[in-house]
Amino acid sequence: AKMNAITNIVHYNDKLGEKIRRQRKLVRDLEVALKVKSLNLFYQPQIDLKSGQIIGYEALARWNHPTLGSIRPDEFIMLAEQSGLIHELGKWAIFQACSDVTHLPDGSCIAVNISAIQLLDKSLPHIIREALVQNKLAAERLELEITETALIQENNTAMELMHKIKSLGVKIALDDFGTGYASFEVLKTFPFDKIKLDRSFVDDMTSSYESRAIVDASIQLAKNLNISILVEGVEDQAQLNELRKMGSDEAQGYYIGRPVSLADLSSDHLTTQEK
Ligand code: C2E
Ligand code: CA
Ligand code: CA
């Protein structure tokens, strides 16, 4: 038994070592990928539920590693945050998205994910302004998606930056609404333009009374706060119909459109319109 325990510990250490080695390698390779600009942004459509028209796209980072294949954003974003590379990555995403959106239909918006750590960087408003100016992009076409974790950690800086960014005319959405610990507190304190209801609620909305009630209440909450609401993770027609009935402003999800490259988007956006 004792030998067994030792073998287990050795095995555990091996596994841990392997994981750490992989992460170290990924961080080194991510730094290179950012330098040679080999990351990509994919775009997922967001529709207006009244008209059925695409009104915007969320930019989602993709990394195709030269030897390991595609790495999930959850993994490389976390590593970027831990290593500090998130500043570089975030800046790249803002500039790339602002440039890409000029190839998309007139008037469509682009939503860029901003990490908690970027919201503590005082140069963020400047970076955003530069990206808008360089691409001659109207500020109304850019939206930032921020999760609440960004806001509870150090809320003075975050508040100051949010106001600066909003004064440029850029909109700000609260991402993954309902999954954090302080959703209401954050909505009460910070000047959001939009709620993005997390996809976990729409998932079983048609079978779970509780989820349905939460979706419904979130839609009413947005209305009462006079801000807009987008429901994420719509995967079938039944959910789409239900959300329309409940009065959600916008929706996003695989059923409406998967995230695709800019090239694929430009070639098929006409066929995916009107659902
Ligand atoms: P998120 O911001 O909540 O983005 C939505 C995620 O849900 C995306 O995963 C998207 O592909 C996925 N999704 C969209 N529709 C559906 C659906 O109908 N069903 C299901 N099951 N999933 C759906 P993805 O692309 O893997 O990104 C994961 C997370 O990585 C994002 O979650 C975001 O937090 C982060 N991320 C991605 N790109 C960036 C970036 O450029 N900067 C930062 N800071 N974070 C990013
Ligand atoms: Ca998002
Ligand atoms: Ca989300």
Side-chain angles (χ1 to χ4, degrees), residues 45 47 52-54 57 103-106 108 256 260-274:
I47 60 166
Q53 297 284 314
I54 296 177
Y57 300 87
H103 301 283
L104 295 173
D106 278 352
S108 55
I256 295 156
V260 293
S261 70
L262 181 67
D264 286 349
L265 198 67
S266 315
S267 64
D268 78 7
H269 83 259
L270 289 172
T271 56
T272 51
Q273 227 147 36
E274 297 207 13

mmCIF file with all atom_site columns, all heavy atoms in Angstrom, residues 45 47 52-54 57 103-106 108 256 260-274:
data_model
loop_
_atom_site.group_PDB
_atom_site.id
_atom_site.type_symbol
_atom_site.label_atom_id
_atom_site.label_alt_id
_atom_site.label_comp_id
_atom_site.label_asym_id
_atom_site.label_entity_id
_atom_site.label_seq_id
_atom_site.pdbx_PDB_ins_code
_atom_site.Cartn_x
_atom_site.Cartn_y
_atom_site.Cartn_z
_atom_site.occupancy
_atom_site.B_iso_or_equiv
_atom_site.pdbx_formal_charge
_atom_site.auth_seq_id
_atom_site.auth_comp_id
_atom_site.auth_asym_id
_atom_site.auth_atom_id
_atom_site.pdbx_PDB_model_num
ATOM 1   N N   . PRO A 1 45  ? -22.413 36.122 -35.489 1.00 0.00 ? 45  PRO A N   1
ATOM 2   C CA  . PRO A 1 45  ? -23.461 37.127 -35.661 1.00 0.00 ? 45  PRO A CA  1
ATOM 3   C C   . PRO A 1 45  ? -24.347 37.309 -34.437 1.00 0.00 ? 45  PRO A C   1
ATOM 4   O O   . PRO A 1 45  ? -24.589 36.381 -33.674 1.00 0.00 ? 45  PRO A O   1
ATOM 5   C CB  . PRO A 1 45  ? -24.282 36.595 -36.841 1.00 0.00 ? 45  PRO A CB  1
ATOM 6   C CG  . PRO A 1 45  ? -24.003 35.143 -36.903 1.00 0.00 ? 45  PRO A CG  1
ATOM 7   C CD  . PRO A 1 45  ? -22.616 34.958 -36.366 1.00 0.00 ? 45  PRO A CD  1
ATOM 8   N N   . ILE A 1 47  ? -28.208 38.942 -33.719 1.00 0.00 ? 47  ILE A N   1
ATOM 9   C CA  . ILE A 1 47  ? -29.366 39.457 -34.458 1.00 0.00 ? 47  ILE A CA  1
ATOM 10  C C   . ILE A 1 47  ? -30.306 40.270 -33.585 1.00 0.00 ? 47  ILE A C   1
ATOM 11  O O   . ILE A 1 47  ? -30.388 40.069 -32.367 1.00 0.00 ? 47  ILE A O   1
ATOM 12  C CB  . ILE A 1 47  ? -30.187 38.334 -35.149 1.00 0.00 ? 47  ILE A CB  1
ATOM 13  C CG1 . ILE A 1 47  ? -30.739 37.334 -34.136 1.00 0.00 ? 47  ILE A CG1 1
ATOM 14  C CG2 . ILE A 1 47  ? -29.365 37.636 -36.224 1.00 0.00 ? 47  ILE A CG2 1
ATOM 15  C CD1 . ILE A 1 47  ? -31.813 36.420 -34.723 1.00 0.00 ? 47  ILE A CD1 1
ATOM 16  N N   . GLY A 1 52  ? -35.034 40.319 -37.203 1.00 0.00 ? 52  GLY A N   1
ATOM 17  C CA  . GLY A 1 52  ? -34.334 39.118 -37.638 1.00 0.00 ? 52  GLY A CA  1
ATOM 18  C C   . GLY A 1 52  ? -33.018 39.423 -38.344 1.00 0.00 ? 52  GLY A C   1
ATOM 19  O O   . GLY A 1 52  ? -32.320 38.517 -38.796 1.00 0.00 ? 52  GLY A O   1
ATOM 20  N N   . GLN A 1 53  ? -32.669 40.678 -38.419 1.00 0.00 ? 53  GLN A N   1
ATOM 21  C CA  . GLN A 1 53  ? -31.453 41.084 -39.131 1.00 0.00 ? 53  GLN A CA  1
ATOM 22  C C   . GLN A 1 53  ? -30.209 40.998 -38.243 1.00 0.00 ? 53  GLN A C   1
ATOM 23  O O   . GLN A 1 53  ? -30.286 41.228 -37.037 1.00 0.00 ? 53  GLN A O   1
ATOM 24  C CB  . GLN A 1 53  ? -31.582 42.543 -39.595 1.00 0.00 ? 53  GLN A CB  1
ATOM 25  C CG  . GLN A 1 53  ? -32.701 42.793 -40.586 1.00 0.00 ? 53  GLN A CG  1
ATOM 26  C CD  . GLN A 1 53  ? -32.344 42.305 -41.977 1.00 0.00 ? 53  GLN A CD  1
ATOM 27  O OE1 . GLN A 1 53  ? -31.254 42.553 -42.461 1.00 0.00 ? 53  GLN A OE1 1
ATOM 28  N NE2 . GLN A 1 53  ? -33.263 41.588 -42.611 1.00 0.00 ? 53  GLN A NE2 1
ATOM 29  N N   . ILE A 1 54  ? -29.087 40.712 -38.883 1.00 0.00 ? 54  ILE A N   1
ATOM 30  C CA  . ILE A 1 54  ? -27.807 40.757 -38.172 1.00 0.00 ? 54  ILE A CA  1
ATOM 31  C C   . ILE A 1 54  ? -27.462 42.217 -37.916 1.00 0.00 ? 54  ILE A C   1
ATOM 32  O O   . ILE A 1 54  ? -27.470 43.028 -38.836 1.00 0.00 ? 54  ILE A O   1
ATOM 33  C CB  . ILE A 1 54  ? -26.689 40.106 -39.012 1.00 0.00 ? 54  ILE A CB  1
ATOM 34  C CG1 . ILE A 1 54  ? -26.985 38.618 -39.208 1.00 0.00 ? 54  ILE A CG1 1
ATOM 35  C CG2 . ILE A 1 54  ? -25.334 40.316 -38.344 1.00 0.00 ? 54  ILE A CG2 1
ATOM 36  C CD1 . ILE A 1 54  ? -25.978 37.906 -40.085 1.00 0.00 ? 54  ILE A CD1 1
ATOM 37  N N   . TYR A 1 57  ? -21.494 41.635 -34.660 1.00 0.00 ? 57  TYR A N   1
ATOM 38  C CA  . TYR A 1 57  ? -20.715 40.402 -34.592 1.00 0.00 ? 57  TYR A CA  1
ATOM 39  C C   . TYR A 1 57  ? -19.831 40.438 -33.357 1.00 0.00 ? 57  TYR A C   1
ATOM 40  O O   . TYR A 1 57  ? -19.229 41.477 -33.056 1.00 0.00 ? 57  TYR A O   1
ATOM 41  C CB  . TYR A 1 57  ? -19.810 40.277 -35.822 1.00 0.00 ? 57  TYR A CB  1
ATOM 42  C CG  . TYR A 1 57  ? -20.565 40.246 -37.131 1.00 0.00 ? 57  TYR A CG  1
ATOM 43  C CD1 . TYR A 1 57  ? -20.906 41.436 -37.779 1.00 0.00 ? 57  TYR A CD1 1
ATOM 44  C CD2 . TYR A 1 57  ? -20.956 39.043 -37.706 1.00 0.00 ? 57  TYR A CD2 1
ATOM 45  C CE1 . TYR A 1 57  ? -21.612 41.419 -38.970 1.00 0.00 ? 57  TYR A CE1 1
ATOM 46  C CE2 . TYR A 1 57  ? -21.657 39.017 -38.902 1.00 0.00 ? 57  TYR A CE2 1
ATOM 47  C CZ  . TYR A 1 57  ? -21.988 40.205 -39.528 1.00 0.00 ? 57  TYR A CZ  1
ATOM 48  O OH  . TYR A 1 57  ? -22.684 40.193 -40.705 1.00 0.00 ? 57  TYR A OH  1
ATOM 49  N N   . HIS A 1 103 ? -14.946 45.893 -43.271 1.00 0.00 ? 103 HIS A N   1
ATOM 50  C CA  . HIS A 1 103 ? -15.285 45.027 -44.407 1.00 0.00 ? 103 HIS A CA  1
ATOM 51  C C   . HIS A 1 103 ? -16.674 44.414 -44.261 1.00 0.00 ? 103 HIS A C   1
ATOM 52  O O   . HIS A 1 103 ? -17.122 43.675 -45.127 1.00 0.00 ? 103 HIS A O   1
ATOM 53  C CB  . HIS A 1 103 ? -14.265 43.881 -44.548 1.00 0.00 ? 103 HIS A CB  1
ATOM 54  C CG  . HIS A 1 103 ? -12.869 44.374 -44.742 1.00 0.00 ? 103 HIS A CG  1
ATOM 55  N ND1 . HIS A 1 103 ? -12.419 44.870 -45.936 1.00 0.00 ? 103 HIS A ND1 1
ATOM 56  C CD2 . HIS A 1 103 ? -11.829 44.474 -43.877 1.00 0.00 ? 103 HIS A CD2 1
ATOM 57  C CE1 . HIS A 1 103 ? -11.157 45.252 -45.805 1.00 0.00 ? 103 HIS A CE1 1
ATOM 58  N NE2 . HIS A 1 103 ? -10.775 45.016 -44.562 1.00 0.00 ? 103 HIS A NE2 1
ATOM 59  N N   . LEU A 1 104 ? -17.309 44.683 -43.150 1.00 0.00 ? 104 LEU A N   1
ATOM 60  C CA  . LEU A 1 104 ? -18.633 44.095 -42.899 1.00 0.00 ? 104 LEU A CA  1
ATOM 61  C C   . LEU A 1 104 ? -19.722 45.089 -43.306 1.00 0.00 ? 104 LEU A C   1
ATOM 62  O O   . LEU A 1 104 ? -19.434 46.260 -43.527 1.00 0.00 ? 104 LEU A O   1
ATOM 63  C CB  . LEU A 1 104 ? -18.744 43.703 -41.416 1.00 0.00 ? 104 LEU A CB  1
ATOM 64  C CG  . LEU A 1 104 ? -17.778 42.587 -41.015 1.00 0.00 ? 104 LEU A CG  1
ATOM 65  C CD1 . LEU A 1 104 ? -17.794 42.341 -39.519 1.00 0.00 ? 104 LEU A CD1 1
ATOM 66  C CD2 . LEU A 1 104 ? -18.114 41.300 -41.767 1.00 0.00 ? 104 LEU A CD2 1
ATOM 67  N N   . PRO A 1 105 ? -20.970 44.610 -43.411 1.00 0.00 ? 105 PRO A N   1
ATOM 68  C CA  . PRO A 1 105 ? -22.034 45.490 -43.867 1.00 0.00 ? 105 PRO A CA  1
ATOM 69  C C   . PRO A 1 105 ? -22.075 46.806 -43.090 1.00 0.00 ? 105 PRO A C   1
ATOM 70  O O   . PRO A 1 105 ? -21.837 46.830 -41.877 1.00 0.00 ? 105 PRO A O   1
ATOM 71  C CB  . PRO A 1 105 ? -23.299 44.666 -43.591 1.00 0.00 ? 105 PRO A CB  1
ATOM 72  C CG  . PRO A 1 105 ? -22.853 43.258 -43.623 1.00 0.00 ? 105 PRO A CG  1
ATOM 73  C CD  . PRO A 1 105 ? -21.448 43.239 -43.141 1.00 0.00 ? 105 PRO A CD  1
ATOM 74  N N   . ASP A 1 106 ? -22.381 47.879 -43.804 1.00 0.00 ? 106 ASP A N   1
ATOM 75  C CA  . ASP A 1 106 ? -22.467 49.216 -43.200 1.00 0.00 ? 106 ASP A CA  1
ATOM 76  C C   . ASP A 1 106 ? -23.373 49.202 -41.987 1.00 0.00 ? 106 ASP A C   1
ATOM 77  O O   . ASP A 1 106 ? -24.444 48.617 -42.013 1.00 0.00 ? 106 ASP A O   1
ATOM 78  C CB  . ASP A 1 106 ? -23.047 50.220 -44.206 1.00 0.00 ? 106 ASP A CB  1
ATOM 79  C CG  . ASP A 1 106 ? -21.961 50.698 -45.150 1.00 0.00 ? 106 ASP A CG  1
ATOM 80  O OD1 . ASP A 1 106 ? -20.784 50.373 -44.914 1.00 0.00 ? 106 ASP A OD1 1
ATOM 81  O OD2 . ASP A 1 106 ? -22.302 51.389 -46.129 1.00 0.00 ? 106 ASP A OD2 1
ATOM 82  N N   . SER A 1 108 ? -23.113 47.683 -39.207 1.00 0.00 ? 108 SER A N   1
ATOM 83  C CA  . SER A 1 108 ? -23.025 46.576 -38.245 1.00 0.00 ? 108 SER A CA  1
ATOM 84  C C   . SER A 1 108 ? -21.981 46.895 -37.178 1.00 0.00 ? 108 SER A C   1
ATOM 85  O O   . SER A 1 108 ? -20.982 47.550 -37.437 1.00 0.00 ? 108 SER A O   1
ATOM 86  C CB  . SER A 1 108 ? -22.706 45.257 -38.949 1.00 0.00 ? 108 SER A CB  1
ATOM 87  O OG  . SER A 1 108 ? -21.539 45.381 -39.714 1.00 0.00 ? 108 SER A OG  1
ATOM 88  N N   . ILE A 1 256 ? -28.158 30.556 -34.819 1.00 0.00 ? 256 ILE A N   1
ATOM 89  C CA  . ILE A 1 256 ? -28.188 31.766 -35.642 1.00 0.00 ? 256 ILE A CA  1
ATOM 90  C C   . ILE A 1 256 ? -26.940 31.823 -36.523 1.00 0.00 ? 256 ILE A C   1
ATOM 91  O O   . ILE A 1 256 ? -27.006 32.209 -37.685 1.00 0.00 ? 256 ILE A O   1
ATOM 92  C CB  . ILE A 1 256 ? -28.301 33.012 -34.736 1.00 0.00 ? 256 ILE A CB  1
ATOM 93  C CG1 . ILE A 1 256 ? -29.650 32.976 -34.003 1.00 0.00 ? 256 ILE A CG1 1
ATOM 94  C CG2 . ILE A 1 256 ? -28.156 34.301 -35.535 1.00 0.00 ? 256 ILE A CG2 1
ATOM 95  C CD1 . ILE A 1 256 ? -29.671 33.766 -32.716 1.00 0.00 ? 256 ILE A CD1 1
ATOM 96  N N   . VAL A 1 260 ? -17.191 32.330 -37.371 1.00 0.00 ? 260 VAL A N   1
ATOM 97  C CA  . VAL A 1 260 ? -16.427 31.971 -38.579 1.00 0.00 ? 260 VAL A CA  1
ATOM 98  C C   . VAL A 1 260 ? -15.400 33.052 -38.881 1.00 0.00 ? 260 VAL A C   1
ATOM 99  O O   . VAL A 1 260 ? -15.474 34.159 -38.344 1.00 0.00 ? 260 VAL A O   1
ATOM 100 C CB  . VAL A 1 260 ? -17.346 31.786 -39.814 1.00 0.00 ? 260 VAL A CB  1
ATOM 101 C CG1 . VAL A 1 260 ? -18.248 30.572 -39.672 1.00 0.00 ? 260 VAL A CG1 1
ATOM 102 C CG2 . VAL A 1 260 ? -18.169 33.041 -40.079 1.00 0.00 ? 260 VAL A CG2 1
ATOM 103 N N   . SER A 1 261 ? -14.479 32.722 -39.789 1.00 0.00 ? 261 SER A N   1
ATOM 104 C CA  . SER A 1 261 ? -13.445 33.683 -40.165 1.00 0.00 ? 261 SER A CA  1
ATOM 105 C C   . SER A 1 261 ? -14.071 34.841 -40.934 1.00 0.00 ? 261 SER A C   1
ATOM 106 O O   . SER A 1 261 ? -15.182 34.712 -41.466 1.00 0.00 ? 261 SER A O   1
ATOM 107 C CB  . SER A 1 261 ? -12.395 33.005 -41.028 1.00 0.00 ? 261 SER A CB  1
ATOM 108 O OG  . SER A 1 261 ? -12.962 32.696 -42.285 1.00 0.00 ? 261 SER A OG  1
ATOM 109 N N   . LEU A 1 262 ? -13.356 35.920 -41.023 1.00 0.00 ? 262 LEU A N   1
ATOM 110 C CA  . LEU A 1 262 ? -13.854 37.092 -41.749 1.00 0.00 ? 262 LEU A CA  1
ATOM 111 C C   . LEU A 1 262 ? -14.141 36.724 -43.207 1.00 0.00 ? 262 LEU A C   1
ATOM 112 O O   . LEU A 1 262 ? -15.155 37.131 -43.775 1.00 0.00 ? 262 LEU A O   1
ATOM 113 C CB  . LEU A 1 262 ? -12.827 38.220 -41.684 1.00 0.00 ? 262 LEU A CB  1
ATOM 114 C CG  . LEU A 1 262 ? -13.245 39.513 -42.378 1.00 0.00 ? 262 LEU A CG  1
ATOM 115 C CD1 . LEU A 1 262 ? -14.409 40.173 -41.666 1.00 0.00 ? 262 LEU A CD1 1
ATOM 116 C CD2 . LEU A 1 262 ? -12.071 40.477 -42.479 1.00 0.00 ? 262 LEU A CD2 1
ATOM 117 N N   . ALA A 1 263 ? -13.261 35.927 -43.790 1.00 0.00 ? 263 ALA A N   1
ATOM 118 C CA  . ALA A 1 263 ? -13.435 35.526 -45.194 1.00 0.00 ? 263 ALA A CA  1
ATOM 119 C C   . ALA A 1 263 ? -14.733 34.745 -45.368 1.00 0.00 ? 263 ALA A C   1
ATOM 120 O O   . ALA A 1 263 ? -15.516 35.016 -46.273 1.00 0.00 ? 263 ALA A O   1
ATOM 121 C CB  . ALA A 1 263 ? -12.247 34.693 -45.648 1.00 0.00 ? 263 ALA A CB  1
ATOM 122 N N   . ASP A 1 264 ? -14.985 33.782 -44.488 1.00 0.00 ? 264 ASP A N   1
ATOM 123 C CA  . ASP A 1 264 ? -16.219 32.989 -44.578 1.00 0.00 ? 264 ASP A CA  1
ATOM 124 C C   . ASP A 1 264 ? -17.450 33.857 -44.345 1.00 0.00 ? 264 ASP A C   1
ATOM 125 O O   . ASP A 1 264 ? -18.486 33.658 -44.961 1.00 0.00 ? 264 ASP A O   1
ATOM 126 C CB  . ASP A 1 264 ? -16.214 31.856 -43.550 1.00 0.00 ? 264 ASP A CB  1
ATOM 127 C CG  . ASP A 1 264 ? -15.262 30.758 -43.963 1.00 0.00 ? 264 ASP A CG  1
ATOM 128 O OD1 . ASP A 1 264 ? -14.786 30.787 -45.120 1.00 0.00 ? 264 ASP A OD1 1
ATOM 129 O OD2 . ASP A 1 264 ? -14.979 29.877 -43.125 1.00 0.00 ? 264 ASP A OD2 1
ATOM 130 N N   . LEU A 1 265 ? -17.300 34.801 -43.474 1.00 0.00 ? 265 LEU A N   1
ATOM 131 C CA  . LEU A 1 265 ? -18.419 35.680 -43.145 1.00 0.00 ? 265 LEU A CA  1
ATOM 132 C C   . LEU A 1 265 ? -18.810 36.533 -44.349 1.00 0.00 ? 265 LEU A C   1
ATOM 133 O O   . LEU A 1 265 ? -19.977 36.642 -44.705 1.00 0.00 ? 265 LEU A O   1
ATOM 134 C CB  . LEU A 1 265 ? -17.991 36.598 -42.001 1.00 0.00 ? 265 LEU A CB  1
ATOM 135 C CG  . LEU A 1 265 ? -19.094 37.269 -41.243 1.00 0.00 ? 265 LEU A CG  1
ATOM 136 C CD1 . LEU A 1 265 ? -19.872 36.227 -40.483 1.00 0.00 ? 265 LEU A CD1 1
ATOM 137 C CD2 . LEU A 1 265 ? -18.504 38.279 -40.275 1.00 0.00 ? 265 LEU A CD2 1
ATOM 138 N N   . SER A 1 266 ? -17.810 37.099 -44.978 1.00 0.00 ? 266 SER A N   1
ATOM 139 C CA  . SER A 1 266 ? -18.077 37.973 -46.115 1.00 0.00 ? 266 SER A CA  1
ATOM 140 C C   . SER A 1 266 ? -18.735 37.192 -47.240 1.00 0.00 ? 266 SER A C   1
ATOM 141 O O   . SER A 1 266 ? -19.546 37.717 -47.978 1.00 0.00 ? 266 SER A O   1
ATOM 142 C CB  . SER A 1 266 ? -16.780 38.590 -46.619 1.00 0.00 ? 266 SER A CB  1
ATOM 143 O OG  . SER A 1 266 ? -16.019 39.046 -45.539 1.00 0.00 ? 266 SER A OG  1
ATOM 144 N N   . SER A 1 267 ? -18.381 35.897 -47.367 1.00 0.00 ? 267 SER A N   1
ATOM 145 C CA  . SER A 1 267 ? -18.954 35.138 -48.477 1.00 0.00 ? 267 SER A CA  1
ATOM 146 C C   . SER A 1 267 ? -20.362 34.630 -48.172 1.00 0.00 ? 267 SER A C   1
ATOM 147 O O   . SER A 1 267 ? -21.138 34.411 -49.085 1.00 0.00 ? 267 SER A O   1
ATOM 148 C CB  . SER A 1 267 ? -18.044 33.974 -48.860 1.00 0.00 ? 267 SER A CB  1
ATOM 149 O OG  . SER A 1 267 ? -17.968 33.065 -47.790 1.00 0.00 ? 267 SER A OG  1
ATOM 150 N N   . ASP A 1 268 ? -20.698 34.434 -46.871 1.00 0.00 ? 268 ASP A N   1
ATOM 151 C CA  . ASP A 1 268 ? -22.042 33.873 -46.646 1.00 0.00 ? 268 ASP A CA  1
ATOM 152 C C   . ASP A 1 268 ? -22.966 34.707 -45.759 1.00 0.00 ? 268 ASP A C   1
ATOM 153 O O   . ASP A 1 268 ? -24.027 34.255 -45.382 1.00 0.00 ? 268 ASP A O   1
ATOM 154 C CB  . ASP A 1 268 ? -21.958 32.434 -46.138 1.00 0.00 ? 268 ASP A CB  1
ATOM 155 C CG  . ASP A 1 268 ? -21.600 32.360 -44.664 1.00 0.00 ? 268 ASP A CG  1
ATOM 156 O OD1 . ASP A 1 268 ? -21.537 33.412 -44.004 1.00 0.00 ? 268 ASP A OD1 1
ATOM 157 O OD2 . ASP A 1 268 ? -21.375 31.258 -44.162 1.00 0.00 ? 268 ASP A OD2 1
ATOM 158 N N   . HIS A 1 269 ? -22.589 35.941 -45.484 1.00 0.00 ? 269 HIS A N   1
ATOM 159 C CA  . HIS A 1 269 ? -23.465 36.685 -44.562 1.00 0.00 ? 269 HIS A CA  1
ATOM 160 C C   . HIS A 1 269 ? -24.834 36.951 -45.173 1.00 0.00 ? 269 HIS A C   1
ATOM 161 O O   . HIS A 1 269 ? -25.819 37.119 -44.473 1.00 0.00 ? 269 HIS A O   1
ATOM 162 C CB  . HIS A 1 269 ? -22.801 37.967 -44.066 1.00 0.00 ? 269 HIS A CB  1
ATOM 163 C CG  . HIS A 1 269 ? -22.903 39.123 -44.983 1.00 0.00 ? 269 HIS A CG  1
ATOM 164 N ND1 . HIS A 1 269 ? -21.883 39.508 -45.787 1.00 0.00 ? 269 HIS A ND1 1
ATOM 165 C CD2 . HIS A 1 269 ? -23.926 39.973 -45.231 1.00 0.00 ? 269 HIS A CD2 1
ATOM 166 C CE1 . HIS A 1 269 ? -22.263 40.548 -46.502 1.00 0.00 ? 269 HIS A CE1 1
ATOM 167 N NE2 . HIS A 1 269 ? -23.504 40.849 -46.194 1.00 0.00 ? 269 HIS A NE2 1
ATOM 168 N N   . LEU A 1 270 ? -24.893 36.957 -46.489 1.00 0.00 ? 270 LEU A N   1
ATOM 169 C CA  . LEU A 1 270 ? -26.193 37.200 -47.119 1.00 0.00 ? 270 LEU A CA  1
ATOM 170 C C   . LEU A 1 270 ? -27.141 36.030 -46.923 1.00 0.00 ? 270 LEU A C   1
ATOM 171 O O   . LEU A 1 270 ? -28.338 36.211 -46.751 1.00 0.00 ? 270 LEU A O   1
ATOM 172 C CB  . LEU A 1 270 ? -25.997 37.478 -48.612 1.00 0.00 ? 270 LEU A CB  1
ATOM 173 C CG  . LEU A 1 270 ? -25.354 38.840 -48.882 1.00 0.00 ? 270 LEU A CG  1
ATOM 174 C CD1 . LEU A 1 270 ? -25.003 39.002 -50.352 1.00 0.00 ? 270 LEU A CD1 1
ATOM 175 C CD2 . LEU A 1 270 ? -26.298 39.958 -48.434 1.00 0.00 ? 270 LEU A CD2 1
ATOM 176 N N   . THR A 1 271 ? -26.571 34.819 -46.918 1.00 0.00 ? 271 THR A N   1
ATOM 177 C CA  . THR A 1 271 ? -27.435 33.647 -46.783 1.00 0.00 ? 271 THR A CA  1
ATOM 178 C C   . THR A 1 271 ? -27.888 33.425 -45.344 1.00 0.00 ? 271 THR A C   1
ATOM 179 O O   . THR A 1 271 ? -28.912 32.801 -45.105 1.00 0.00 ? 271 THR A O   1
ATOM 180 C CB  . THR A 1 271 ? -26.723 32.374 -47.275 1.00 0.00 ? 271 THR A CB  1
ATOM 181 O OG1 . THR A 1 271 ? -25.514 32.236 -46.559 1.00 0.00 ? 271 THR A OG1 1
ATOM 182 C CG2 . THR A 1 271 ? -26.437 32.434 -48.764 1.00 0.00 ? 271 THR A CG2 1
ATOM 183 N N   . THR A 1 272 ? -27.104 33.919 -44.377 1.00 0.00 ? 272 THR A N   1
ATOM 184 C CA  . THR A 1 272 ? -27.502 33.678 -42.989 1.00 0.00 ? 272 THR A CA  1
ATOM 185 C C   . THR A 1 272 ? -28.439 34.763 -42.461 1.00 0.00 ? 272 THR A C   1
ATOM 186 O O   . THR A 1 272 ? -28.989 34.642 -41.385 1.00 0.00 ? 272 THR A O   1
ATOM 187 C CB  . THR A 1 272 ? -26.286 33.605 -42.045 1.00 0.00 ? 272 THR A CB  1
ATOM 188 O OG1 . THR A 1 272 ? -25.490 34.751 -42.265 1.00 0.00 ? 272 THR A OG1 1
ATOM 189 C CG2 . THR A 1 272 ? -25.486 32.354 -42.272 1.00 0.00 ? 272 THR A CG2 1
ATOM 190 N N   . GLN A 1 273 ? -28.610 35.821 -43.242 1.00 0.00 ? 273 GLN A N   1
ATOM 191 C CA  . GLN A 1 273 ? -29.468 36.893 -42.777 1.00 0.00 ? 273 GLN A CA  1
ATOM 192 C C   . GLN A 1 273 ? -30.937 36.450 -42.767 1.00 0.00 ? 273 GLN A C   1
ATOM 193 O O   . GLN A 1 273 ? -31.328 35.568 -43.527 1.00 0.00 ? 273 GLN A O   1
ATOM 194 C CB  . GLN A 1 273 ? -29.306 38.114 -43.672 1.00 0.00 ? 273 GLN A CB  1
ATOM 195 C CG  . GLN A 1 273 ? -29.119 39.375 -42.859 1.00 0.00 ? 273 GLN A CG  1
ATOM 196 C CD  . GLN A 1 273 ? -28.215 40.370 -43.563 1.00 0.00 ? 273 GLN A CD  1
ATOM 197 O OE1 . GLN A 1 273 ? -28.269 40.476 -44.760 1.00 0.00 ? 273 GLN A OE1 1
ATOM 198 N NE2 . GLN A 1 273 ? -27.401 41.078 -42.812 1.00 0.00 ? 273 GLN A NE2 1
ATOM 199 N N   . GLU A 1 274 ? -31.711 37.068 -41.945 1.00 0.00 ? 274 GLU A N   1
ATOM 200 C CA  . GLU A 1 274 ? -33.146 36.792 -41.806 1.00 0.00 ? 274 GLU A CA  1
ATOM 201 C C   . GLU A 1 274 ? -33.420 35.377 -41.320 1.00 0.00 ? 274 GLU A C   1
ATOM 202 O O   . GLU A 1 274 ? -33.512 34.446 -42.094 1.00 0.00 ? 274 GLU A O   1
ATOM 203 C CB  . GLU A 1 274 ? -33.874 37.019 -43.140 1.00 0.00 ? 274 GLU A CB  1
ATOM 204 C CG  . GLU A 1 274 ? -33.774 38.474 -43.550 1.00 0.00 ? 274 GLU A CG  1
ATOM 205 C CD  . GLU A 1 274 ? -34.939 38.916 -44.417 1.00 0.00 ? 274 GLU A CD  1
ATOM 206 O OE1 . GLU A 1 274 ? -35.927 38.174 -44.481 1.00 0.00 ? 274 GLU A OE1 1
ATOM 207 O OE2 . GLU A 1 274 ? -34.842 39.999 -44.980 1.00 0.00 ? 274 GLU A OE2 1
#
